[in-house]
Amino acid sequence: MRVLVVEDEIYLAEAVQAGLRLEAIACDVVTDGDDALERLAVHDYDVVVLDRDIPGTHGDDVCRTIVERRLGCRVLMLTAAARLGDKVAGFELGVDDYLTKPFDLPELVVRLRSLARRPAHSTPPVLEHAGLRLDPFRREVYRDGRYVALSRKQFAVLEVLMTARGGVISAEQLLERAWDENADPFTNAVRITISGLRKRLGDPWLIHTVPGVGYRLGDGTPGDGTPE
């Protein structure tokens, strides 16, 4: 296992490095976010031990870069803050685990080995179709560069349709994938959500109805299917 420790408290960083080497864990140390990004650009690491509050590029931005570039390494963030809100924010960025300072080296070692056994998390791919851009990780949708605000259900339905890449998705399939198991199969929720989604996306309409079958995404050109 190869680990990158990003910690500006040099004595702590060196102590961690020495301790990890005793555990047969290869360890590199940098003391700021800029150096961390440089190392990550040229070396493959299994885990990054990342202090959140570091000089240069902030720890949150280092983590964000790791996720966006799909570097494949796990992130264990060190923080002096034990507040739940800080941890929630970190997990939303893509942090795999947290360790609050001060900590014991044996606990760090156990957590590193546990992370190294996990499959590398991957960011869901950004979906694009006919000027639409849907980012599942950031929960954002753009049409021709214009941000489109969607409800959670509208986002879920659009993601299913975009994943189908122009294929037809039935109302039953949308209920199964975008609603929970308690959804009424006779509900008109799909039709209502599709109608609202069309309006949010704007003209020309991209979501077409295939009579008696379901819905599909068109290319937005005149004559491409029937919107309703």
Side-chain angles (χ1 to χ4, degrees):
M1 181 185 356
R2 186 172 185 180
V3 174
L4 176 64
V5 173
V6 188
E7 170 59 64
D8 63 325
E9 296 181 29
I10 188 62
Y11 296 112
L12 173 60
E14 291 178 347
V16 168
Q17 184 180 47
L20 294 183
R21 286 177 174 174
L22 289 176
E23 296 290 336
I25 297 174
C27 178
D28 298 330
V29 169
V30 294
T31 57
D32 64 67
D34 297 336
D35 286 344
L37 293 176
E38 289 182 7
R39 292 292 185 95
L40 288 164
V42 296
H43 298 295
D44 293 327
Y45 292 99
D46 297 293
V47 185
V48 177
V49 179
L50 178 63
D51 185 15
R52 188 178 190 192
D53 297 314
I54 49 176
T57 304
H58 192 272
D60 287 355
D61 293 321
V62 173
C63 180
R64 186 177 291 108
T65 299
I66 290 172
V67 173
E68 290 178 346
R69 294 181 182 175
R70 303 181 191 179
L71 298 182
C73 51
R74 275 69 72 198
V75 177
L76 189 156
M77 185 166 278
L78 300 178
T79 177
R83 293 174 306 200
L84 178 61
D86 291 334
K87 293 186 178 182
V88 170
F91 284 128
E92 289 178 344
L93 285 173
V95 171
D96 296 279
D97 198 2
Y98 257 99
L99 192 56
T100 303
K101 296 191 289 186
F103 57 86
D104 294 325
L105 184 64
E107 181 179 5
L108 174 61
V109 171
V110 169
R111 288 175 180 262
L112 289 176
R113 287 179 172 157
S114 176
L115 287 173
R117 288 194 296 267
R118 297 181 191 175
H121 67 269
S122 59
T123 305
V126 173
L127 302 174
E128 297 187 75
H129 179 93
L132 274 181
R133 177 181 174 87
L134 183 148
D135 188 330
F137 181 74
R138 294 181 178 277
R139 311 294 292 180
E140 294 177 345
V141 173
Y142 292 85
R143 183 173 187 184
D144 297 327
R146 172 181 62 86
Y147 175 72
V148 181
L150 299 179
S151 70
R152 285 176 293 179
K153 200 61 67 180
Q154 289 169 344
F155 187 97
V157 168
L158 182 60
E159 185 174 6
V160 173
L161 290 171
M162 292 188 70
T163 301
R165 300 182 182 278
V168 178
I169 300 293
S170 69
E172 292 77 13
Q173 289 174 309
L174 286 173
L175 276 175
E176 180 180 346
R177 299 183 193 179
W179 276 261
D180 61 33
E181 62 183 8
N182 297 316
D184 181 356
F186 300 103
T187 182
N188 61 358
V190 171
R191 181 178 60 80
I192 293 172
T193 302
I194 289 288
S195 177
L197 182 54
R198 283 171 172 152
K199 293 175 182 177
R200 291 287 183 94
L201 293 176
D203 294 326
W205 283 2
L206 287 170
I207 302 175
H208 300 292
T209 300
V210 181
V213 183
Y215 304 94
R216 69 172 181 86
L217 283 180
D219 57 18
T221 59
D224 176 37
T226 303
E228 296 284 16

